[in-house]
Amino acid sequence: MSRRNPNAANRRFHDRVAARYDSIYDDPFWEFHDRITWNPLKHFLPRDAAAPVLDLGCGTGKWGLKLLKAGYPTTFTDLSPKMLDEVRKKLDTWSDTPDHAAKAARATVQQADAVDLAAFPASHFALITAMGDVVSICSDPARCLSEVHRLLAPAGVFVFTVDNHLAAIDHFIASGNLPALAAFIKSGKTEGLTKNVAEQFAVHMFTPAQIEALVKAKGFELISKIGKTVIPARQNRKLFEDPHALDTLVDLETRLQSDPTAPARASHLQLAVRKRELSSNDLGTHETTT
């Protein structure tokens, strides 16, 4: 009997939503969310504009396209072929202007599983991003981090997000299901993002301490950690009615993110980690998930 592919449901879900994915996130909250994502990420862009970068779990290419526009040769990769089709469509539109066409020529689009990146060269990328909670929704977060470590150049940086275990507790409280709450707190795992059983896949959630421990075990040095969003602005759209709402909310969120306790409250965690060379002790570390 063949072993079931643990990512089949993940791929099936993202293939189905790919064509309308951008429209799902087209509103003021997600503009706010994108700004508080990009502002910290900008600090870790390579100084050398020729340095290759990788957008892991790129989806429809939001973050990879920003990197490409900044001039970096950018590789886009995702588990979902349909998501990559959307990236190619966007790159095709860049042919209208010479500057964009030249940058599009520096893009590489290739399908891959985040836990198996053997198709890409080792010690090659100066920066890898995984901004859509790829580490949380892949089949094996520890293996994903090991693969990223292998692909990064010496002192290369990985910027990524994960779902926050502590913030998700509220969902189980609202359901009133004590056994489900207990199971979630003990395992840190749940399923999303759809009611369709054939498309449900495991989501690995992390407390700040858990993800810090895992990245350290996989050969990384933590250089930045923020929570987002600390302000649960999505809960009341009236916050966005003021003409200066986005600027105000970004400023307030940035102030809160400077508090080291803020990540415990946020729905997601965004980390920047730097590759360090693995010691003999690191090489003996077992790959385990939360």
Side-chain angles (χ1 to χ4, degrees):
M1 181 180 295
S2 63
R3 183 181 177 184
R4 180 180 178 272
N5 181 354
N7 276 335
N10 187 326
R11 174 173 169 173
R12 189 178 295 116
F13 170 78
H14 286 96
D15 276 348
R16 179 174 63 80
V17 302
R20 57 186 180 88
Y21 194 74
D22 288 346
S23 65
I24 296 172
Y25 297 98
D26 185 17
D27 69 30
F29 169 78
W30 289 107
E31 185 177 348
F32 160 62
H33 187 275
D34 288 352
R35 285 175 59 177
I36 63 171
T37 297
W38 180 248
N39 287 345
L41 193 160
K42 288 189 297 186
H43 296 296
F44 305 106
L45 298 181
R47 293 183 179 180
D48 180 3
V53 300
L54 172 68
D55 188 9
L56 177 63
C58 65
T60 59
K62 175 185 290 185
W63 305 109
L65 289 170
K66 284 181 175 290
L67 296 171
L68 194 62
K69 285 179 181 177
Y72 301 103
T74 303
T75 298
F76 298 79
T77 188
D78 199 278
L79 178 66
S80 164
K82 297 293 186 182
M83 287 288 188
L84 295 178
D85 286 345
E86 298 303 310
V87 175
R88 293 186 182 96
K89 290 176 186 177
K90 292 177 181 180
L91 291 172
D92 285 345
T93 67
W94 285 27
S95 61
D96 295 339
T97 62
D99 180 58
H100 277 174
K103 290 179 178 178
R106 307 182 79 188
T108 301
V109 182
Q110 184 167 338
Q111 192 271 342
D113 188 332
V115 303
D116 182 4
L117 301 174
F120 303 107
S123 303
H124 179 68
F125 297 103
L127 172 70
I128 297 177
T129 60
M131 305 311 296
D133 303 328
V134 176
V135 174
S136 277
I137 67 176
C138 72
S139 59
D140 189 336
R143 185 175 172 185
C144 174
L145 288 169
S146 293
E147 287 289 276
V148 168
H149 188 278
R150 183 181 63 82
L151 298 191
L152 280 172
V157 173
F158 181 38
V159 183
F160 68 103
T161 62
V162 293
D163 286 295
N164 185 359
H165 186 176
L166 299 175
I169 290 173
D170 290 343
H171 166 76
F172 290 91
I173 294 294
S175 73
N177 187 330
L178 181 59
L181 172 64
F184 170 71
I185 289 177
K186 291 175 183 177
S187 71
K189 296 180 184 179
T190 185
E191 289 190 339
L193 304 160
T194 172
K195 294 180 180 179
N196 184 339
V197 174
E199 294 181 349
Q200 289 179 352
F201 52 90
V203 178
H204 307 261
M205 299 193 177
F206 298 87
T207 66
Q210 287 169 341
I211 192 60
E212 286 185 46
L214 185 57
V215 296
K216 182 178 180 180
K218 294 301 159 187
F220 295 97
E221 170 195 4
L222 179 68
I223 52 179
S224 173
K225 179 187 69 188
I226 62 171
K228 64 173 194 182
T229 59
V230 181
I231 301 171
R234 198 178 184 184
Q235 294 179 12
N236 193 333
R237 299 303 174 117
K238 288 185 178 180
L239 292 170
F240 295 95
E241 293 176 357
D242 185 283
H244 304 291
L246 285 174
D247 289 338
T248 300
L249 286 167
V250 169
D251 177 66
L252 294 173
E253 180 79 12
T254 303
R255 290 170 181 265
L256 290 171
Q257 287 174 347
S258 66
D259 187 328
T261 65
R265 172 185 170 89
S267 55
H268 296 78
L269 307 172
Q270 181 169 319
L271 294 88
V273 297
R274 181 179 290 115
K275 177 179 179 176
R276 60 178 174 80
E277 294 306 311
L278 291 170
S279 68
S280 57
N281 289 336
D282 292 321
L283 294 174
T285 300
H286 295 291
E287 296 206 350
T288 57
T289 59
T290 57

